[in-house]
Amino acid sequence: FFLTEGTFFLETLPTMPSLSTVAPSLVPFLSSSKILALYFASSWCPECTPVTPALKSMYLSQPDETEKLLEVVYISSDMSKEQMEQAISSNHGPWGSIPFDNVEERSNVKRNFGVCAAKEMKELQMDGPGQRKFGIPTIILINCETEEVMTTDGERDLMESGNNVLNKWKEMLTLS
């Protein structure tokens, strides 16, 4: 179920392997929160520039609880390890990432969800019709209990609602 402007609809997504199978490094994040936000972005992407601080502000606004409502994991399209590390240290919140050196896992997650920067399409073998569904920035929300996609519109939700988006996402979680 997806919530959009107060409307619920069912979106058919292709059957995907378990996220913990595709990206084993995500398992600790899946077990420490209720919602996992996969943040596909890059430091060189101008469209990502306003999203990162909005995501950081929202992430830091979460109440302190034993189990967080939301964890974020950065899925980088940066061109180098140094570029990624600089972006993380200067702009990001205290969330996780799939390490730059773990190319196979980052690539698997990008292919699994059909998300990448345009310049990565050929390298990731996502240049065929319908293989790339989303560019960057994209935020995909995952229900940590079921590992099902809650929405692929997390970036739009965040930019429209700011820190209040947590309430919307919490409501979506109870409906999924």
Side-chain angles (χ1 to χ4, degrees), residues 26-136:
L26 296 179
V27 170
F29 301 102
L30 288 165
S31 61
S32 67
S33 63
K34 297 176 183 174
I35 300 170
L36 178 62
L38 299 177
Y39 179 39
F40 297 84
S42 174
S43 60
W44 53 261
C45 167
E47 292 85 5
C48 300
T49 303
V51 178
T52 303
L55 184 60
K56 180 178 181 179
S57 174
M58 181 272 304
Y59 181 83
L60 294 174
S61 76
Q62 291 185 86
D64 290 329
E65 298 176 357
T66 305
E67 182 182 39
K68 285 187 178 179
L69 173 63
L70 178 81
E71 274 296 347
V72 176
V73 175
Y74 180 51
I75 313 297
S76 170
S77 289
D78 290 303
M79 295 191 215
S80 69
K81 182 177 183 175
E82 294 74 25
Q83 189 179 52
M84 180 179 164
E85 289 172 351
Q86 173 63 29
I88 290 171
S89 67
S90 62
N91 300 321
H92 288 218
W95 54 68
S97 64
I98 295 179
F100 187 85
D101 294 335
N102 195 342
V103 176
E104 181 179 356
E105 195 167 299
R106 280 188 306 117
S107 298
N108 286 345
V109 172
K110 290 175 184 182
R111 278 191 218 96
N112 192 63
F113 292 102
V115 181
C116 69
K119 61 170 84 182
E120 297 178 294
M121 290 172 62
K122 187 173 178 100
E123 177 185 333
L124 291 168
Q125 299 172 343
M126 291 173 57
D127 51 349
Q131 291 179 315
R132 179 179 180 245
K133 295 170 182 48
F134 310 100
I136 60 172

